[in-house]
Amino acid sequence: MMLAKIAAILMIVWFFQTAKENGGKPFEWVIIGLIGYWVVWWIVTLTVANPILNSMNKGSVMLLLLIRHIPAFAAIAAAVLVRKKLLSDAHKTE
């Protein structure tokens, strides 16, 4: 869970700086990126991580930590794709 929070903060800064560098609206980019990040995090948490964790009895701590971080990794990947799309749209309007 801590990884997801740290990644979200870094993502906000990253989107803000990227928007400023490319002439976009920084707060609009941050909101779009944050919505994409958290939606994917919730979807993966509810559909992948929680069912796997609920079906496991007792397992290794490392495996449980890895499964608990799957939503954060998916959300980071989604943020990268959202940023790529925003950059593509910004370059098309130039």
Side-chain angles (χ1 to χ4, degrees), residues 19-50:
K20 281 177 52 177
E21 292 170 2
N22 290 288
K25 298 176 184 175
F27 291 106
E28 184 178 305
W29 280 41
V30 166
I31 291 170
I32 292 169
L34 196 58
I35 289 171
Y37 180 90
W38 284 113
V39 165
V40 170
W41 186 87
W42 276 109
I43 290 171
V44 174
T45 297
L46 295 175
T47 61
V48 177
N50 285 348

Side-chain angles (χ1 to χ4, degrees), residues 39-70:
V39 165
V40 170
W41 186 87
W42 276 109
I43 290 171
V44 174
T45 297
L46 295 175
T47 61
V48 177
N50 285 348
I52 292 173
L53 290 171
N54 291 337
S55 69
M56 295 176 66
N57 289 334
K58 290 185 178 180
S60 76
V61 173
M62 293 301 291
L63 182 60
L64 295 174
L65 286 174
L66 177 68
I67 293 169
R68 185 49 64 196
H69 285 94
I70 290 172

